[in-house]
Amino acid sequence: MTPNLKKVSAAGMLITLGIIFGDIGTSPLYTFQTLLQEGGTADIDFVFGAISCVFWTLTLQTTFKYIFITLQADNHGEGGIFSLYALVRRYGKWLAIPAIVGAGTLLADGIITPPISVASAIEGLGQVPKLAHVMIPGSWLIIGIVIGIILLLFFFQQFGTKVVGAAFGPVMLIWFLMIGTLGVLQVAHFPSVLKALNPYYGIHMLISHPRGFWLLGAVFLCTTGAEALYSDLGHCGRKNIQMTWIFVKTTLVLNYLGQGAWVLSQSVKPNFGYINPFYAIVPHFFLIPSVIIATFATIIASQALISGSFTLINEAISMNFWPRIAVKYPSNVRGQIYIPAINWVLCFGCIAVILYFQTSSAMTAAYGFSITIAMLMTTILMYYYMRYKRHWPIWVVTIILCVFISVEFSFFLANSVKILKRLFFLVFEFGLIFTMYIWFKARKINNRFLHFIDLKDQIPLLNALSADKGVSKYATHLIYLTKANNSKQIEQKVMYSIFSRKPKRADVYWFLHIERTDDPYTMEYSVEEIEPDKVIRVEFRLGFRIQPRVNVLFRKVVEDMVSRNELDILSRYESLKKFHMAADFQFVIIEKFLSYNNEFNISEGFILNSYFAIKKLAQSEAKAFGLDTSETRVEKIPLIVKPVSNIVLKRVDPEHSYGGESY
């Protein structure tokens, strides 16, 4: 986030419109139509009740929870469920579970938001009289157009959004001005619709309508972008988001009021399966331009969600919730990343959703379940943030928690009936959560069997090995990565690699340790010479959004030390030293594999076997740490968690035979 975006400014608010509010801003395309379809009526009580529910959901859930409270939980300017988890994880080990579930369900949203948004925009062409017989919702023509747009969207991810990103803000400004103006024109013809803002009508509808409570599943569609709004905090800053929301919410409410006014002004109620009130309030001469603007707005909304998915996975990798996979940087814009594997998984998922559901109205029947779970998980983490990080009074925190839990659990129950309609991609959600949980738990088990020893006790051995001319030199500078937080300790497996596998004689032994900080963009290091010109430890302090490119970072450390006259990197070989040749550096990476010499219980066996199966699909340690393969050697050692101990082997005297007979 650039410094000028931390303060409220016209430029900052314009960028905020393009990045933050795309998802929630395009919800009028399908929310009110879905309410009318599920409600089965369009009388004044129902329309007023539906608009009232939408307004108060935007007020309580989006404005109160996210805009005013959750946005305060910024981690050095960054937002999202992993940033929130990083702030509160010290207050409970189990808090990793809501973080994993919240992240998994939020990622699952990434395969339904683009198709439902783009499809609802393109289906608007069916409102044009000359195209009505061709642009039928669910027709192969519309499906083909939507798939084509989504393929292009995902294809261009690899090039970044630097070029087109500048247009996001102006396009979304036009979008919000358009929907607000369309709403005002209808409200002017039916001003009594403003009564719908009274909460009485919403409560009355929920109580009196036969499907009252279950209609909350459709009402929830109006706020599905709120969780993504918090995830994108780092792009624009809290102040810009809060100020821009005033404008965004005003235009959204005006548009919902306008749709309601149009419905009530119709003497004969149309079939809302085919007629979308959003496009019905658009003047005929402006229909095609409105569809074009809506299409661009939904593409921008989809782009924001895809970028958010990349950021979420990148944070998960940094915090050891996800296997290390290739992460690319398509531009020099800070925070803009591209993850090929996730990109194409989302792409194929979106296409499968379109082919399976075919129409936007069918997609809304399965939409919202994941987001309610993600919101509940954020609420759990927010409790710890408010109580233990901000030290708010317990009675204030309890009231806020009760309000949020009551509202969100009601939405969860109303959306739970959709689970049968969304079995199609429950596998996707389960796969995401399962992968994060297995990776997290297996790393915990793995770390349990790390044995550290006193490094000072190993110094005489290292000095003796380094001076032993009888052992061929392995490298001038030998570098290991270590997990030891304390500079006085080192893993036993590292010393085993140096002394026992094949003795590795070197002139200088380096031990590099990476500490992850709660600050997303920390980049610091410290150097400690444990034994002068023999054993050196480097401590890197990296934010959870910084890629651990060890090769580049280590080279920078060496350059700094040379410039300070702290290190001589001339070759130690006499034949090369006189020609001022640079010394050689060799990294050694130690990778574990699951030994057959283990007796697990069912739980640990399942977790570890799953972990190593997933690990085969991930990047190697060398690639993950950005190490050049020409300078890196990978050693594999067995992981023995519970060695087989019940072997009963009896020794007997040998039997001698001659000519086939014993003697």
Side-chain angles (χ1 to χ4, degrees):
M1 181 170 62
T2 55
N4 62 311
L5 291 182
K6 293 180 181 178
K7 297 178 181 178
V8 177
S9 65
M13 292 171 70
L14 187 64
I15 292 170
T16 302
L17 279 178
I19 295 175
I20 306 295
F21 294 111
D23 192 1
I24 199 168
T26 53
S27 57
L29 278 165
Y30 46 80
T31 300
F32 199 63
Q33 182 186 25
T34 304
L35 273 164
L36 291 168
Q37 284 180 279
E38 294 192 8
T41 182
D43 59 31
I44 192 166
D45 286 340
F46 180 81
V47 171
F48 277 21
I51 294 172
S52 179
C53 285
V54 167
F55 174 75
W56 288 103
T57 298
L58 288 173
T59 301
L60 280 174
Q61 196 64 14
T62 313
T63 307
F64 184 53
K65 179 185 176 181
Y66 284 95
I67 298 295
F68 285 134
I69 295 181
T70 308
L71 285 185
Q72 294 185 46
D74 67 290
N75 190 342
H76 298 274
E78 294 298 323
I81 197 158
F82 281 134
S83 290
L84 180 56
Y85 169 70
L87 289 170
V88 300
R89 59 183 167 184
R90 72 189 68 176
Y91 305 114
K93 292 181 179 179
W94 71 277
L95 291 175
I97 302 302
I100 287 170
V101 173
T105 49
L106 192 59
L107 280 167
D109 183 42
I111 68 165
I112 195 167
T113 296
I116 193 176
S117 300
V118 176
S120 59
I122 298 299
E123 286 171 3
L125 289 171
Q127 308 287 323
V128 180
K130 292 182 179 179
L131 299 175
H133 65 287
V134 179
M135 293 296 181
I136 301 168
S139 68
W140 284 108
L141 181 58
I142 286 184
I143 291 172
I145 293 171
V146 174
I147 289 175
I149 291 172
I150 284 177
L151 277 172
L152 286 172
L153 177 65
F154 282 100
F155 174 76
F156 280 105
Q157 293 303 313
Q158 60 193 302
F159 305 112
T161 57
K162 185 180 180 182
V163 177
V164 296
F168 286 3
V171 170
M172 292 308 297
L173 177 61
I174 293 169
W175 165 257
F176 285 116
L177 288 172
M178 182 187 85
I179 65 173
T181 303
L182 292 172
V184 167
L185 292 174
Q186 294 298 319
V187 171
H189 291 106
F190 202 96
S192 62
V193 76
L194 291 170
K195 294 179 183 177
L197 301 183
N198 188 331
Y200 163 79
Y201 292 102
I203 296 167
H204 178 70
M205 184 200 75
L206 294 176
I207 294 172
S208 63
H209 193 278
R211 296 191 67 248
F213 177 80
W214 304 107
L215 288 172
L216 285 175
V219 171
F220 184 73
L221 295 173
C222 74
T223 189
T224 50
E227 189 68 33
L229 177 153
Y230 174 49
S231 299
D232 289 326
L233 169 64
H235 294 291
C236 300
R238 182 169 73 244
K239 298 286 187 185
N240 280 314
I241 294 174
Q242 290 174 334
M243 292 302 294
T244 309
W245 173 243
I246 298 170
F247 166 70
V248 170
K249 185 184 177 185
T250 302
T251 59
L252 289 173
V253 172
L254 284 172
N255 192 263
Y256 285 119
L257 287 167
Q259 291 186 49
W262 178 85
V263 170
L264 293 174
S265 65
Q266 302 303 302
S267 55
V268 179
K269 305 305 179 188
N271 182 347
F272 293 108
Y274 297 97
I275 301 297
N276 186 343
F278 178 86
Y279 286 110
I281 67 175
V282 179
H284 289 299
F285 72 89
F286 196 65
L287 260 175
I288 292 179
S290 71
V291 172
I292 293 170
I293 295 169
T295 302
F296 278 113
T298 54
I299 289 171
I300 291 169
S302 302
Q303 174 60 55
L305 198 118
I306 294 165
S307 299
S309 298
F310 292 158
T311 302
L312 202 61
I313 288 291
N314 192 42
E315 290 177 4
I317 294 169
S318 297
M319 300 181 79
N320 292 320
F321 283 116
W322 193 267
R324 293 187 180 95
I325 52 179
V327 178
K328 298 184 178 181
Y329 300 84
S331 74
N332 58 2
V333 177
R334 174 169 152 176
Q336 189 173 114
I337 58 176
Y338 168 64
I339 305 178
I342 299 301
N343 184 67
W344 295 112
V345 166
L346 287 175
C347 180
F348 291 128
C350 288
I351 292 171
V353 166
I354 295 165
L355 294 174
Y356 183 79
F357 290 105
Q358 299 189 345
T359 67
S360 61
S361 59
M363 292 179 213
T364 58
Y367 194 33
F369 179 77
S370 297
I371 305 303
T372 55
I373 297 174
M375 287 181 171
L376 280 165
M377 298 304 107
T378 298
T379 299
I380 292 169
L381 296 176
M382 275 301 298
Y383 166 78
Y384 283 83
Y385 176 79
M386 293 183 292
R387 184 72 188 97
Y388 299 108
K389 196 76 178 175
R390 296 295 295 270
H391 305 292
W392 289 5
I394 186 67
W395 66 271
V396 173
V397 176
T398 302
I399 292 172
I400 293 172
L401 189 72
C402 288
V403 171
F404 289 161
I405 290 290
S406 300
V407 172
E408 288 166 2
F409 194 69
S410 297
F411 281 128
F412 171 74
L413 287 178
N415 277 292
S416 62
V417 297
K418 299 179 178 181
I419 196 162
L420 293 176
K421 297 176 182 177
R422 53 181 286 113
L423 289 174
F424 170 75
F425 50 91
L426 271 182
V427 176
F428 182 72
E429 286 176 1
F430 178 76
L432 289 167
I433 295 170
F434 174 80
T435 300
M436 283 192 269
Y437 177 76
I438 290 294
W439 204 258
F440 175 74
K441 288 295 289 183
R443 298 279 299 188
K444 290 291 184 187
I445 295 171
N446 226 329
N447 292 338
R448 214 166 65 210
F449 294 93
L450 274 176
H451 297 290
F452 295 99
I453 55 178
D454 195 329
L455 181 55
K456 189 173 287 187
D457 294 341
Q458 308 301 311
I459 299 296
L461 284 167
L462 290 170
N463 278 321
L465 176 59
S466 185
D468 188 350
K469 304 291 185 181
V471 179
S472 59
K473 189 184 288 187
Y474 190 82
T476 304
H477 295 266
L478 190 60
I479 309 135
Y480 283 87
L481 296 176
T482 175
K483 291 184 179 179
N485 294 320
N486 189 337
S487 63
K488 296 179 181 179
Q489 293 184 318
I490 192 70
E491 292 100 315
Q492 190 176 40
K493 67 180 181 181
V494 171
M495 291 297 106
Y496 176 82
S497 170
I498 294 173
F499 297 128
S500 303
R501 285 214 136 187
K502 177 189 175 184
K504 296 179 178 64
R505 185 163 76 89
D507 293 305
V508 183
Y509 294 93
W510 297 77
F511 301 117
L512 312 184
H513 178 254
I514 299 173
E515 180 192 344
R516 285 296 185 180
T517 68
D518 290 345
D519 184 335
Y521 292 109
T522 303
M523 287 188 73
E524 300 171 350
Y525 82 91
S526 60
V527 178
E528 183 177 352
E529 279 200 80
I530 295 167
E531 180 74 5
D533 200 36
K534 188 61 59 184
V535 180
I536 303 173
R537 177 184 166 102
V538 179
E539 180 89 20
F540 292 108
R541 298 185 71 250
L542 304 178
F544 62 83
R545 283 198 170 181
I546 300 298
Q547 288 296 303
R549 302 183 194 179
V550 173
N551 206 31
V552 176
L553 295 171
F554 179 69
R555 189 179 297 130
K556 178 64 177 171
V557 170
V558 170
E559 288 173 0
D560 283 356
M561 292 181 70
V562 170
S563 67
R564 296 167 185 252
N565 295 317
E566 297 173 345
L567 182 68
D568 180 9
I569 59 166
L570 287 179
S571 177
R572 306 290 176 99
Y573 295 100
E574 292 299 326
S575 59
L576 300 177
K577 187 174 183 178
K578 62 183 180 182
F579 292 103
H580 302 285
M581 298 292 287
D584 59 303
F585 291 80
Q586 180 76 49
F587 286 89
V588 176
I589 295 289
I590 301 174
E591 287 188 352
K592 290 180 179 178
F593 64 90
L594 195 59
S595 172
Y596 290 113
N597 185 27
N598 278 300
E599 280 187 339
F600 301 113
N601 59 38
I602 294 174
S603 173
E604 282 191 342
F606 177 73
I607 288 171
L608 288 171
N609 279 300
S610 300
Y611 170 77
F612 282 99
I614 295 169
K615 195 174 182 181
K616 289 177 182 177
L617 303 173
Q619 275 188 320
S620 65
E621 295 280 327
K623 278 189 177 179
F625 287 111
L627 297 172
D628 291 336
T629 52
S630 60
E631 299 174 354
T632 307
R633 174 174 175 177
V634 178
E635 289 186 351
K636 294 189 177 290
I637 61 170
L639 174 64
I640 302 175
V641 179
K642 291 188 177 177
V644 177
S645 57
N646 59 347
I647 297 176
V648 179
L649 189 62
K650 181 181 179 182
R651 178 171 175 167
V652 297
D653 292 330
E655 293 185 5
H656 301 285
S657 61
Y658 182 76
E661 294 182 6
S662 299
Y663 71 98

